Amino acid sequence: MIDPGASVDATAWVDAQACVASGVVIGPRAFVGPGSVLLAGVQLGADTRLVARVTLGEGVRVGSRCILHPGAVIGADGFGHAPDAGAYVKVPQVGSVVLGDDVEVGANSTIDRGAIGDTEIGEGVKIDNLVQIGHNCKIGAHTVIAGCSGISGSVTVGSAA
């Protein structure tokens, strides 16, 4: 399903059972694999490939020549909860996620949206399978993160400092 308010380049491909919301922009030669979900305001750069069942949350921006493997979730809410009178209340996560050019995200990895600003993944970053990157993280260009790693929110790794 492609919302009429989305912009899909004539050379791009949206595969079966994908859902593309209003305001999405899909660049030249991009591939949106089967079962993928692109929520409102997503931007997908040229030659980027969402292999299958990839979810991109509202306002996520993905650079050119990126590869997102099956089950990747980019832009879900971070773990934001604040104590209030003996209970916890959810803190709104109003930022998004920005992936630079040539980023690769492994299968079933997640990158949380920022609580206030954006979570930023620099160009050329390679993220293995089953990696969790928390809200508001800054991952510097050409950083490599091995599988089954977890990075808690607001951490800076690599040259992003």
Side-chain angles (χ1 to χ4, degrees):
M1 192 222 50
I2 301 173
D3 188 280
S7 174
V8 180
D9 187 272
T11 61
W13 180 266
V14 178
D15 215 332
Q17 297 181 348
C19 180
V20 178
S22 181
V24 169
V25 177
I26 299 176
R29 299 169 305 283
F31 174 82
V32 177
S36 293
V37 176
L38 284 65
L39 297 180
V42 164
Q43 297 176 18
L44 217 66
D47 301 303
T48 286
R49 180 174 177 79
L50 310 182
V51 178
R53 297 180 333 279
V54 172
T55 299
L56 302 180
E58 290 182 356
V60 168
R61 298 183 308 274
V62 180
S64 296
R65 300 173 305 281
C66 295
I67 303 170
L68 282 66
H69 290 280
V73 176
I74 314 299
D77 277 359
F79 190 67
H81 302 280
D84 181 32
Y88 286 93
V89 295
K90 186 165 181 59
V91 175
Q93 309 287 290
V94 298
S96 195
V97 178
V98 178
L99 273 60
D101 295 338
D102 303 303
V103 169
E104 187 163 352
V105 178
N108 296 313
S109 290
T110 60
I111 302 173
D112 291 343
R113 67 186 317 100
I116 298 171
D118 293 333
T119 300
E120 299 175 9
I121 310 298
E123 71 173 271
V125 169
K126 307 303 179 198
I127 299 169
D128 198 2
N129 300 333
L130 297 168
V131 171
Q132 161 63 33
I133 297 176
H135 65 276
N136 291 98
C137 284
K138 310 288 185 215
I139 309 298
H142 307 291
T143 299
V144 175
I145 302 172
C148 295
S149 297
I151 302 173
S152 62
S154 300
V155 170
T156 298
V157 176
S159 62

